[in-house]
Amino acid sequence: MKVACYLAFLPLFSVAKGDPRGVVKTQHNDEVGRVFITDVQRRAEEEIGTGKKNKKGKKMKKTKKGQTNDEHPECPHRDPIDAESVRAELKKFVDSLDDGLQLNRGYHPNVADQIPDWHTCTIVQQCLDPDFILSVGMMSSRSRGYVYKVMSKAMSQESFNMLQLQQHSNMLLGEMQDWATTCPGECRELHDPNGLLEPIVGSSLADQSDPVPFLNYADCGNLLHESGKKLFWYCNDEPRMVHEANIDVSTGKYMLGDIWNEPHIHGRNLEYDFFSAYGDMEENGGAFGLRFSGHHFDLNYHWNDAGELVNDNMPVFLGHNPLMVPEVTPPLSRTHDEKADNDHSYYPLMWANMAGITQFSESVDLLLEVSNFLLPNAPGSFVPLTNWISTGYAGSLTLANGKSISDFDSFDLSTATEDVFQIMWNLVDYTLKFTHGHASTERQRAIFRAEGKAVWTTSNPPEENLPLTEDDLRSNMNFINLRIETDDYLYFVMVNQLYSVISENEPTNHFHSLYVAKNLMNNDHACIESSTKVKGALCESSKRTKFTDPSESEMISGPFKYESSMWEERNLKGKSTLNLDVIDETLKSMSEDLCDMGFTATVFDENANQVYQNTVGSIYTPLDETGYYIPDGYSPETEGWTGDTTMTVLSNSKVAVAISFLASVVQADLGSLDEPVYLTFPEFLTEASLAGRITPRMILSHSSGSAEYNRNAPTTDPYYVCKYSDKTRAECLSTYVLNDSTMKAEPGSTHSYNNVGFDILAELIVRKTG
């Protein structure tokens, strides 16, 4: 009956979009609409306050511990969020964590740690391994399930839907980055030596650059890091992508970014989402809270001892990228009824489905409403771009030279008309309601109304560069940065292309917004050099990105640095164990499958203590009397294998060399997997030499491009004749292997099984370790 009544009145009124007070707009009969909604509010408030029964005879719920008292004034009949139901799911999450690393990072018994632990690196800097919060990727599937169950209980349905859409958008952005880093294309060098990009609207990427021939994607990235040249990867097919980094405040132009360092963020979205619980997990216990943080979102909740949600001082970050999805998508290599296979590893399903749409239309509408107000009505609060700096750790522009908003003419929200203030507040409230959900934001609104001061910027001239329409936002020529401050709080919204991968065809903007207590925006809550409280986070400032050659010239290691150093470090910190029973079963199964082939396996723990050894099977191939590998095949199979049997080592030597190099050189910080070999062999290789660009990673993946020789002809093959003579290994390598005249392919361009490359590794080990 209640539903029918509400449906009957729907034509009479609607709630104003974005207005937290539930202001009523009448559509047909103004008086009937106002009387109806006012009466509903009055009666519901009276019934909730008195415990009076409703029309169905059910007693209206009183506010109890764990429920919020100031829920949606426009929907007073809606049940508030029950804090105890949130706590119950949080407890399940905590109980699901393994002892040790997971529990230490995922649960903090002292609720007072929640604010001090807050750190921007989990939002925009993508710190890899913070010790104060647990990566979702390191959790079990059960724990991950509890994370989202908790959020579904803590958030309103609208806010939870926004969270899901935001996660969807992150994955869509990952598809865009995957295309930018895997598309067939060419390496190009930007004309501008400072890496400044002309606006793509009116000037294509090709117009601004020249091709750099004979470089694949990885080599292009290595050359960028080694030389400092302004290089980017240019797709053969549309859409052609470019990574834009900071903005040059003197010109308003974006700077060319480093796409080779970007894919790890979105390609591993799960690894860069973090969650932790705080406080009392017992039913009806004391204060508790939670934080769910990741790329483009930061959600912080705190319930006090009375079970009341008190989020006033808790930061909220909300970002959208892409704000509008580029309409032109990569070529789709699979038909709708064709299954995936190795030839079709890339298929931008979300991008294809969402092509051309505005993902977050409400944010666009609210932003454009503010932009259209600022230009004619608040021109004095425009602060030219030259007074700002790009602040990566905050994901925004901040005022330069230590200046504050009080140093400029600002727009005073306390003197604005109610209608004007509401235009500005709707944008702030859009971010706040992401965490507040059902709860009212009236307290924050009152603070911003009484104390708020606003300044804004865009490129000069503002009348040409401030986005006033949605079409303007589909152009990298337009952006806005709005900053509003009160005595204790900061809100900013930035819509531009800082730190973004964009399409040349349709360079859409992206959206960052943050509400935060001003005392949290300092060095100790960000990954910057002057921070006194790094909290163990592996931040931008502590990435292992450089190494030193013998002549002490500094170079960057290359596009695989995350895989070769940071991820290894993180994995070592995780809880990894070997099941010795499984190893034993596998060993026996291998022997049986290979007709009683002999195997011996030995396992050591992290302290080099032997924890397992077993020998299975009996059949093996004995060593030939000559000591060399038999060209026509293996020696006759023989029974009698033991763990001490002498055997032909063959390519097992590659495993030994690889482990020796990783342990004695890479792990000891004496070299890198991506260090070009010319740095170690300066007597016969230079930076310009083809062979000099070979790296240890290429050798280990058999893609060095160096010549291969016939080890089965040690008395006639020129390299092996040299190798077994009195000449040094380096002399033989310089003549036959590390020599441009003998190279078979560009380093890193093709795969070809190669034995000789491991002699290069052996010489590298000798030289690096002394």
Side-chain angles (χ1 to χ4, degrees):
M1 192 65 187
K2 183 185 292 186
V3 173
C5 176
Y6 283 3
L7 290 175
F9 275 90
L10 279 176
L12 299 177
F13 66 92
S14 64
V15 177
K17 185 177 186 179
D19 190 336
R21 298 167 299 151
V23 175
V24 173
K25 293 181 179 178
T26 57
Q27 295 181 340
H28 296 297
N29 187 324
D30 186 72
E31 287 305 311
V32 174
R34 290 185 188 279
V35 170
F36 174 78
I37 193 69
T38 303
D39 186 55
V40 169
Q41 289 177 328
R42 178 183 55 78
R43 285 186 286 107
E45 289 167 358
E46 291 175 353
E47 290 172 349
I48 292 174
T50 60
K52 182 179 177 180
K53 293 183 178 179
N54 61 21
K55 291 184 178 180
K56 289 186 176 182
K58 294 183 178 180
K59 192 171 184 178
M60 301 289 284
K61 291 183 179 180
K62 291 184 179 180
T63 302
K64 63 180 182 180
K65 180 173 181 178
Q67 292 186 336
T68 306
N69 196 27
D70 54 355
E71 314 294 339
H72 276 289
E74 72 271 24
C75 300
H77 57 280
R78 182 180 298 175
D79 285 343
I81 293 173
D82 184 353
E84 287 307 313
S85 67
V86 178
R87 193 201 306 262
E89 297 301 328
L90 266 181
K91 187 176 189 307
K92 294 176 184 177
F93 163 76
V94 172
D95 291 343
S96 72
L97 300 177
D98 292 338
D99 290 338
L101 181 143
Q102 285 193 7
L103 192 60
N104 290 339
R105 296 184 179 186
Y107 175 54
H108 305 276
N110 186 358
V111 73
D113 290 340
Q114 189 170 1
I115 287 294
D117 275 355
W118 188 80
H119 205 285
T120 63
C121 80
T122 60
I123 309 169
V124 291
Q125 291 182 304
Q126 281 73 48
C127 55
L128 187 65
D129 193 33
D131 62 3
F132 52 88
I133 193 168
L134 180 61
S135 164
V136 175
M138 298 181 75
M139 300 177 189
S140 66
S141 58
R142 183 184 181 196
S143 298
R144 289 195 293 269
Y146 284 132
V147 167
Y148 283 94
K149 186 68 176 293
V150 167
M151 300 314 299
S152 71
K153 296 288 187 181
M155 306 177 81
S156 68
Q157 186 63 55
E158 180 184 12
S159 298
F160 188 63
N161 289 345
M162 173 66 80
L163 174 63
Q164 294 179 82
L165 180 58
Q166 185 54 59
Q167 296 286 49
H168 175 280
S169 180
N170 282 345
M171 290 184 282
L172 190 155
L173 184 57
E175 290 185 349
M176 293 172 62
Q177 290 182 316
D178 285 344
W179 168 248
T181 57
T182 61
C183 65
E186 64 178 357
C187 186
R188 296 186 73 93
E189 182 176 3
L190 203 65
H191 291 157
D192 189 284
N194 297 314
L196 297 183
L197 289 159
E198 295 295 330
I200 291 177
V201 177
S203 175
S204 70
L205 291 168
D207 294 337
Q208 306 179 48
S209 60
D210 294 316
V212 181
F214 311 120
L215 291 183
N216 62 22
Y217 174 80
D219 288 337
C220 186
N222 276 323
L223 181 59
L224 178 150
H225 296 142
E226 295 163 10
S227 66
K229 294 180 177 180
K230 307 305 179 182
L231 304 178
F232 65 95
W233 189 249
Y234 190 70
C235 300
N236 293 336
D237 296 311
E238 294 183 343
R240 298 181 175 94
M241 315 296 288
V242 66
H243 180 249
E244 295 182 338
N246 290 330
I247 193 168
D248 179 56
V249 295
S250 63
T251 63
K253 295 179 180 179
Y254 292 101
M255 299 177 183
L256 179 67
D258 179 3
I259 189 65
W260 286 270
N261 279 332
E262 212 27 41
H264 68 275
I265 298 174
H266 297 93
R268 288 176 170 154
N269 190 59
L270 190 70
E271 307 292 344
Y272 293 90
D273 288 348
F274 303 92
F275 186 90
S276 60
Y278 291 84
D280 195 339
M281 293 294 107
E282 296 304 316
E283 184 178 2
N284 294 317
F288 72 101
L290 64 92
R291 185 184 186 200
F292 190 25
S293 187
H295 194 59
H296 285 147
F297 70 91
D298 188 54
L299 299 164
N300 298 272
Y301 290 82
H302 180 85
W303 286 266
N304 63 18
D305 287 333
E308 299 165 336
L309 180 64
V310 282
N311 265 19
D312 296 353
N313 296 318
M314 306 305 291
V316 186
F317 186 96
L318 178 59
H320 306 316
N321 191 3
L323 201 54
M324 284 85 73
V325 183
E327 188 172 31
V328 178
T329 65
L332 302 180
S333 56
R334 288 168 53 200
T335 61
H336 69 281
D337 57 351
E338 181 182 6
K339 69 178 183 179
D341 57 38
N342 292 333
D343 294 329
H344 301 131
S345 58
Y346 175 74
Y347 187 71
L349 179 63
M350 287 179 286
W351 191 355
N353 288 343
M354 305 285 281
I357 76 159
T358 300
Q359 291 195 102
F360 305 93
S361 58
E362 184 180 1
S363 67
V364 171
D365 292 344
L366 296 174
L367 178 87
L368 293 177
E369 190 174 16
V370 168
S371 292
N372 279 278
F373 166 78
L374 288 174
L375 194 59
N377 298 293
S381 58
F382 168 71
V383 177
L385 191 58
T386 51
N387 291 283
W388 301 77
I389 57 173
S390 175
T391 311
Y393 72 85
S396 71
L397 301 177
T398 56
L399 293 167
N401 301 319
K403 292 187 176 182
S404 68
I405 202 168
S406 60
D407 294 314
F408 301 92
D409 292 333
S410 58
F411 181 73
D412 191 342
L413 299 188
S414 68
T415 61
T417 66
E418 185 64 23
D419 289 343
V420 168
F421 173 76
Q422 193 62 46
I423 290 173
M424 307 289 280
W425 175 251
N426 286 342
L427 198 54
V428 182
D429 198 50
Y430 176 78
T431 300
L432 281 177
K433 71 181 182 183
F434 189 36
T435 53
H436 281 61
H438 297 306
S440 169
T441 56
E442 281 298 306
R443 181 179 178 278
Q444 291 95 328
R445 186 183 190 278
I447 293 173
F448 275 73
R449 184 68 166 113
E451 304 173 3
K453 303 287 191 299
V455 293
W456 58 281
T457 193
T458 186
S459 295
N460 274 318
E463 57 271 14
E464 294 182 9
N465 293 292
L466 191 68
L468 302 177
T469 67
E470 187 170 313
D471 285 341
D472 289 341
L473 290 175
R474 295 179 184 268
S475 161
N476 71 333
M477 298 174 66
N478 300 87
F479 79 88
I480 179 175
N481 190 82
L482 173 67
R483 185 181 183 92
I484 305 176
E485 292 186 25
T486 70
D487 293 345
D488 298 316
Y489 297 99
L490 161 68
Y491 171 81
F492 74 73
V493 60
M494 178 195 76
V495 178
N496 62 15
Q497 293 173 330
L498 292 179
Y499 328 114
S500 184
V501 175
I502 66 167
S503 164
E504 178 186 54
N505 305 79
E506 193 174 20
T508 65
N509 283 271
H510 82 288
F511 176 105
H512 278 183
S513 66
L514 174 67
Y515 166 88
V516 64
K518 290 162 72 171
N519 61 9
L520 290 179
M521 296 302 290
N522 58 55
N523 296 351
D524 287 345
H525 294 276
C527 296
I528 51 183
E529 296 293 348
S530 55
S531 176
T532 61
K533 186 180 64 174
V534 178
K535 293 292 294 180
L538 300 178
C539 300
E540 293 286 346
S541 59
S542 61
K543 284 182 183 176
R544 181 175 175 225
T545 60
K546 299 179 180 180
F547 55 80
T548 304
D549 72 1
S551 62
E552 297 185 352
S553 63
E554 203 171 50
M555 298 179 62
I556 299 177
S557 62
F560 298 103
K561 61 188 169 215
Y562 258 80
E563 273 57 50
S564 63
S565 57
M566 306 303 282
W567 278 92
E568 291 173 6
E569 183 170 346
R570 173 173 176 166
N571 290 337
L572 287 172
K573 291 181 179 179
K575 292 180 61 178
S576 58
T577 59
L578 287 175
N579 189 321
L580 298 181
D581 291 336
V582 172
I583 292 176
D584 195 63
E585 293 173 6
T586 302
L587 192 67
K588 294 174 181 176
S589 177
M590 287 171 55
S591 178
E592 293 172 1
D593 292 344
L594 295 172
C595 304
D596 201 32
M597 180 69 69
F599 288 99
T600 296
T602 305
V603 178
F604 299 88
D605 65 14
E606 65 273 16
N607 299 315
N609 297 316
Q610 181 178 312
V611 295
Y612 170 87
Q613 187 177 73
N614 192 20
T615 296
V616 297
S618 176
I619 303 299
Y620 76 103
T621 300
L623 186 67
D624 185 76
E625 293 179 359
T626 64
Y628 293 119
Y629 175 70
I630 301 173
D632 298 327
Y634 294 97
S635 297
E637 292 182 351
T638 303
E639 291 189 3
W641 171 263
T642 72
D644 296 321
T645 301
T646 303
M647 58 170 289
T648 308
V649 67
L650 300 176
S651 286
N652 287 308
S653 61
K654 293 183 175 66
V655 178
V657 174
I659 292 174
S660 297
F661 182 81
L662 292 172
S664 64
V665 177
V666 176
Q667 193 170 16
D669 282 333
L670 298 176
S672 163
L673 283 170
D674 300 297
E675 179 179 344
V677 296
Y678 78 83
L679 295 172
T680 310
F681 302 106
E683 70 271 27
F684 57 83
L685 291 176
T686 67
E687 182 178 0
S689 59
L690 188 65
R693 300 210 313 264
I694 294 172
T695 68
R697 188 184 297 276
M698 295 175 188
I699 294 171
L700 290 169
S701 61
H702 298 277
S703 61
S704 68
S706 63
E708 174 65 309
Y709 292 90
N710 185 8
R711 67 179 181 183
N712 297 327
T715 59
T716 58
D717 181 89
Y719 174 70
Y720 282 95
V721 168
C722 182
K723 181 176 178 178
Y724 295 123
S725 70
D726 294 333
K727 292 185 177 181
T728 65
R729 185 192 295 110
E731 289 177 304
C732 297
L733 289 173
S734 65
T735 303
Y736 298 105
V737 183
L738 294 176
N739 190 309
D740 285 3
S741 65
T742 65
M743 290 291 291
K744 300 301 181 183
E746 289 273 342
S749 63
T750 58
H751 176 272
S752 180
Y753 194 85
N754 189 294
N755 295 299
V756 175
F758 287 81
D759 286 346
I760 303 176
L761 284 183
E763 185 66 18
L764 285 172
I765 293 171
V766 171
R767 293 195 177 203
K768 291 288 189 181
T769 61

